[in-house]
């Protein structure tokens, strides 16, 4: 049948099972929006307050559901406002399709009104991107984009569509999307045998879990692998929840703000089994001294990550779920009692600690964990609150900690929270933000209230840019250059003005009542928590230091650092 480009786009989205789009209209996408109006009972469109909010919402939807997130924007500034969100998704391997309109084909390249080369701009931060100038190519392009976004290591794909393409007609025939098979042809039985030999020969193994284990939905296989290997487990920000934070084998996060137990264990181990991690600099510290006593076995779907940041002794390249299945089928149960006893002794000796006075971020997170029984989805912005959220909320399941790891995007969390809640209506979804981050995209509270999306926005309001201030305090002689937010902004009034229920917590005794009520209301809620300006994230590894040089506040005060 003959359909317009806009009709073809909507039909292709329906082919792909898309139920939600986050976007913002404009001239170049008017035909698309007219068609979405006709299909609003099949595809829900969430009008965000800003295009960046749309891209982050699509990202949060994707991370929390495992489906492809979709965002839509007009040409020029609408398209460029998506770029930060696209880059965020790219760095953390999030399946997203970003659709942008552009000027008509005969106006391309002429500096036309609201024209920009968005494909050129996004080329470094997409898995692939397309410019569609011919309506006959549109359907196949959309199908390819969704396939690429989900295949292998996921990531964002951009489709830029000229406006006249959305109006022109061509023949359309529905196509059922292909089943996406997991990648298994990249590893051999010999690869698995070598990995098993390394595990069997090891006396002090550590399992290091990254975001790849979450992306591949390998959490059941991972937990079986841990039992078979009888090894302690550490993780990255992206890997949280793939292995339960409540499990006795769990030692905490690794790296700059990792636990002493995790950092010391990796330094002392004789085999580091890395499952879906790319060895980020925030994890490894000084790479020359990282896990220097260990052989390293890396399991990853992306061959580009092998030997990129850290040289490894053996790699198994393939879908993590399938690799772990293959290993579990052949790995005899191991026992490492002496090693585990040593690691568990470190856990007792070096617990995470925070001040038992006043209102603090860790206290609020512990209270949230208690009140939700650890069943909530937590999204975050970037900074101290993000690290506390990683440390003090024990994630039991994958896709429950949604945060910007690779790009470190301030302003990410609120949009992501909205997307996660839209994709998980049965879950409590809470965004943890610092006051500096909240300012960046706080207008998305209006999105939550417009659609009555019942998110809970918790602001750790310490009136400073906390993480930058922490570095200025420790490494820049307490020269607090432009990190103090000593103005008169009232987040409670702002939230109320945007239609949300708002609270302010100033002391510990108020926290439980307010948090409990916020969880029960099932409406958009903003909670302004007044914290001390100089609370810090501990432990910490100084930039350029080895991870075993991790230190705490007590170490600093005792002159041990």
């Amino acid at each position: 049948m003959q359909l317009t480009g806009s009709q073809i786009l909507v039909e292709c989205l329906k082919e792909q099972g898309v139920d939600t789009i986050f976007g913002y209209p404009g001239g170049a996408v008017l035909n698309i929006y007219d068609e979405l109006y006709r299909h609003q009972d099949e595809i829900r469109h969430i009008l965000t307050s800003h295009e960046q909010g749309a891209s982050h919402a699509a990202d949060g939807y994707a991370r929390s559901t495992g489906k492809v997130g979709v965002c839509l924007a007009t040409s020029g500034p609408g398209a460029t406002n998506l770029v930060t969100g696209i880059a965020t998704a790219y760095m953390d391997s999030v399946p997203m399709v970003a659709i942008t309109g552009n000027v008509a084909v005969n106006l391309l390249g002429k500096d036309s009104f609201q024209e920009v080369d968005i494909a050129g701009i996004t080329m470094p931060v997409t898995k692939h991107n397309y410019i569609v100038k011919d309506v006959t190519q549109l359907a196949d392009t959309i199908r390819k984009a969704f396939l690429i976004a989900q295949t292998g290591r996921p990531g964002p794909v951009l489709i830029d569509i000229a406006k006249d393409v959305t109006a022109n007609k061509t023949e359309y025939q529905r196509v059922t999307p292909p089943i996406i098979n997991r990648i298994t042809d990249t590893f051999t039985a010999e690869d698995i045998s070598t990995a098993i030999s390394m595990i069997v020969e090891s006396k002090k193994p550590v399992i290091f879990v990254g975001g790849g284990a979450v992306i591949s939905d390998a959490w059941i296989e991972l937990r079986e692998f841990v039992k078979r290997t009888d090894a302690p487990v550490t993780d990255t920000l992206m890997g949280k929840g793939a292995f339960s934070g409540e499990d006795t084998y769990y030692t905490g996060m690794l790296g700059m703000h990792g636990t002493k137990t995790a950092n010391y264990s990796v330094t002392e181990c004789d085999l580091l089994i890395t499952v879906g991690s790319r060895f980020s600099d925030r994890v490894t510290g000084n790479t020359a001294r990282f896990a220097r006593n260990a052989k390293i076995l890396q399991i990853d779907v992306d061959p580009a990550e092998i030997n990129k940041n850290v040289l490894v002794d053996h790699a198994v390249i393939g879908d993590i779920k399938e690799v772990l299945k293959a290993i579990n089928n052949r790995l005899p149960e191991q026992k490492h009692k002496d090693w585990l006893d040593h690691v568990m002794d470190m856990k007792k000796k070096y617990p995470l600690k925070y001040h038992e006075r006043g209102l603090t971020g860790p206290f609020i997170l512990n209270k949230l964990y208690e009140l939700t029984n650890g069943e909530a989805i937590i999204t975050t912005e970037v900074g101290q609150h993000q690290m506390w959220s990683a440390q003090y909320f024990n994630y039991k399941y994958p896709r429950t900690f949604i945060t910007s790891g690779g790009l470190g995007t301030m302003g990410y969390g609120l949009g992501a929270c909205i997307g996660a809640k839209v994709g998980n209506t049965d879950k409590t979804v809470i965004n943890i933000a610092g006051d500096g981050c909240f300012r960046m995209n706080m207008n998305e509270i209006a999105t939550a209230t417009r659609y009555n999306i019942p998110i809970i926005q918790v602001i750790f309001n310490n009136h400073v840019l906390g993480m930058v201030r922490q570095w200025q305090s420790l490494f820049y002689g307490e020269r607090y250059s432009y990190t103090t937010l000593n103005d008169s902004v009232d987040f409670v009034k702002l939230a109320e003005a945007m239609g949300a229920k708002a609270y302010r917590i100033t002391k510990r005794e108020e926290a439980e009542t307010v948090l409990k009520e916020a969880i029960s209301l099932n409406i958009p809620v903003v909670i302004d928590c007044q914290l001390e300006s100089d609370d810090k994230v501990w432990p910490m590894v100084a930039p350029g230091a080895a991870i075993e040089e991790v230190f705490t506040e007590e170490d600093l005060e005792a002159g041990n650092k």
Side-chain angles (χ1 to χ4, degrees):
M1 58 183 152
Q2 288 276 316
L3 297 181
T4 67
S6 296
Q7 291 171 323
I8 289 168
L9 171 59
V10 171
E11 291 302 319
C12 286
L13 292 175
K14 287 159 60 179
E15 282 179 10
Q16 299 294 329
V18 173
D19 54 26
T20 307
I21 295 176
F22 304 89
Y24 206 97
V29 289
L30 276 175
N31 293 328
I32 296 170
Y33 270 86
D34 194 48
E35 197 59 33
L36 285 171
Y37 180 85
R38 302 171 197 273
H39 291 269
Q40 56 190 295
D41 58 335
E42 298 169 281
I43 298 176
R44 184 185 188 190
H45 180 278
I46 302 291
L47 174 65
T48 55
S49 298
H50 190 282
E51 291 92 352
Q52 187 178 136
S55 61
H56 293 326
D59 178 304
Y61 177 93
R63 294 194 205 215
S64 62
T65 64
K67 302 175 185 177
V68 178
V70 181
C71 55
L72 172 62
T74 192
S75 62
T80 58
N81 282 343
L82 293 179
V83 172
T84 297
I86 292 170
T88 300
Y90 181 75
M91 289 291 283
D92 291 342
S93 305
V94 179
M96 178 195 291
V97 171
I99 301 165
T100 55
N102 214 324
V103 299
V105 171
N106 67 326
L107 295 176
L108 287 171
K110 297 182 179 180
D111 294 332
S112 304
F113 177 68
Q114 290 193 333
E115 181 197 359
V116 73
D117 179 12
I118 193 63
I121 289 169
T122 60
M123 189 175 291
V125 291
T126 51
K127 273 190 81 176
H128 200 79
N129 61 29
Y130 297 93
I131 306 173
V132 183
K133 302 177 185 179
D134 181 348
V135 70
T136 64
Q137 303 297 313
L138 181 58
D140 284 346
T141 299
I142 295 165
R143 292 163 185 152
K144 288 175 187 174
F146 275 85
L147 186 65
I148 290 169
Q150 299 172 82
T151 305
R153 181 178 183 169
V157 179
L158 177 109
I159 310 171
D160 190 38
I161 309 171
K163 184 172 182 179
D164 48 341
V165 169
T166 66
N168 294 341
K169 286 189 173 184
T170 192
E171 194 68 22
Y172 165 80
Q173 187 170 357
R174 182 179 175 83
V175 173
T176 301
I179 295 170
I180 298 175
N181 295 314
R182 294 178 177 274
I183 295 176
T184 58
D185 59 355
T186 50
F187 63 91
T188 64
E190 185 178 352
D191 289 329
I192 300 299
S193 296
T194 302
I196 290 171
S197 295
M198 292 174 75
I199 295 166
V200 170
E201 291 167 9
S202 169
K203 304 298 183 189
K204 298 189 292 183
V206 168
I207 297 170
F208 172 38
V209 180
V214 174
I215 292 166
S216 65
D217 292 319
W219 64 291
I220 293 173
E221 291 76 12
L222 175 64
R223 293 172 197 206
E224 172 66 19
F225 178 65
V226 171
K227 288 179 184 176
R228 286 190 167 276
T229 307
D230 199 36
V233 178
T234 182
D235 59 14
T236 66
L237 276 177
M238 296 293 98
K240 291 212 157 289
F243 188 77
S244 173
E246 291 191 334
D247 196 287
T248 54
Y249 282 95
Y250 183 65
T251 64
M253 188 169 64
L254 184 67
M256 179 172 282
H257 292 293
T259 64
K260 281 192 171 184
T261 304
N263 286 8
Y264 291 162
S265 297
V266 167
T267 302
E268 294 177 23
C269 74
D270 64 4
L271 176 65
L272 183 63
I273 307 166
T274 303
V275 182
S277 172
R278 61 186 178 83
F279 295 112
S280 159
D281 57 294
R282 288 297 172 102
V283 162
T284 64
N286 185 331
T287 52
R289 297 170 62 189
F290 177 73
R292 61 187 179 278
N293 298 309
K295 291 183 178 179
I296 298 178
L297 166 62
Q298 186 174 5
I299 303 170
D300 205 287
V301 74
D302 187 356
E305 293 299 339
I306 309 303
N307 295 321
K308 185 177 85 174
N309 295 328
V310 171
L311 295 177
V312 303
D313 296 274
H314 180 59
V316 184
I317 300 167
D319 182 90
I320 288 167
K321 188 181 185 78
E322 297 302 318
V323 172
L324 290 181
K325 274 184 189 176
I327 293 175
N328 289 341
N329 286 339
R330 294 173 51 191
L331 177 65
E333 286 201 8
Q334 305 297 296
K335 292 296 177 187
H336 301 106
K337 184 179 183 305
D338 291 346
W339 170 236
L340 278 170
D341 286 347
H342 171 62
V343 173
M344 294 307 118
D345 285 344
M346 286 197 288
K347 276 182 72 172
K348 292 175 186 174
K349 185 177 180 182
Y350 305 119
L352 286 171
K353 291 191 294 186
Y354 62 92
H355 291 297
E356 294 297 328
R357 54 169 175 75
L359 187 65
T360 66
F363 171 80
I364 294 165
L365 286 156
N366 277 343
K367 188 59 65 177
L368 282 170
Y369 190 79
E370 174 190 321
L371 294 174
T372 62
N373 193 32
E375 300 291 327
I377 294 175
I378 302 294
T379 67
T380 81
E381 307 290 347
V382 171
Q384 288 180 315
H385 61 277
Q386 177 191 32
M387 295 298 107
W388 286 324
S389 298
Q391 293 172 327
Y392 289 98
F393 199 100
N394 292 328
Y395 302 92
K396 298 186 283 187
Y397 311 107
R399 303 192 184 280
T400 56
F401 183 55
I402 313 296
T403 194
S404 171
L407 198 63
T409 304
M410 293 176 70
Y412 165 81
L414 181 50
C417 187
I418 290 169
K421 183 61 181 179
V422 168
N424 300 268
T425 55
D426 59 330
K427 298 282 189 182
T428 298
V429 185
I430 304 166
N431 185 48
I432 309 295
D435 48 324
C437 289
F438 181 64
R439 291 161 184 261
M440 292 198 167
N441 279 325
M442 62 186 174
N443 51 355
E444 296 306 334
I445 291 295
T447 305
T449 58
R450 180 184 299 118
Y451 297 98
N452 194 29
I453 301 169
I455 61 166
I456 299 171
Q457 169 65 68
V458 178
I459 307 166
F460 286 1
N461 189 357
N462 57 6
H463 304 279
V464 294
L465 300 178
M467 186 60 85
V468 185
R469 181 182 176 89
Q470 177 165 333
W471 280 51
Q472 289 173 334
S473 177
L474 295 173
F475 309 119
Y476 289 85
E478 299 184 351
R479 294 182 295 278
Y480 300 122
S481 178
Y482 302 103
T483 50
T484 302
L485 307 176
N486 55 351
D487 50 34
S488 302
V489 175
D490 187 328
F491 292 133
V492 170
K493 288 181 180 179
L494 274 168
E496 289 173 342
M498 287 187 277
K501 180 74 172 174
Y503 301 87
R504 183 173 288 112
I505 301 175
T506 60
K507 52 189 177 183
R508 277 190 180 217
E509 295 73 23
E510 300 168 342
E512 182 165 344
T513 301
V514 170
L515 294 173
K516 194 178 287 185
E517 185 170 327
I519 292 166
S520 69
L521 286 175
N522 204 37
I523 60 173
V525 175
V526 175
I527 306 171
D528 179 13
C529 303
Q530 297 286 317
L531 307 185
E532 291 292 324
S533 296
D534 280 310
D535 280 352
K536 295 180 174 61
V537 179
W538 303 109
M540 184 175 187
V541 176
I547 58 171
E548 70 263 29
E549 294 179 75
V550 56
F551 63 97
T552 63
E553 187 173 26
E554 291 85 353
D555 293 328
L556 203 62
E557 289 171 352
N560 297 330
K561 180 60 188 172

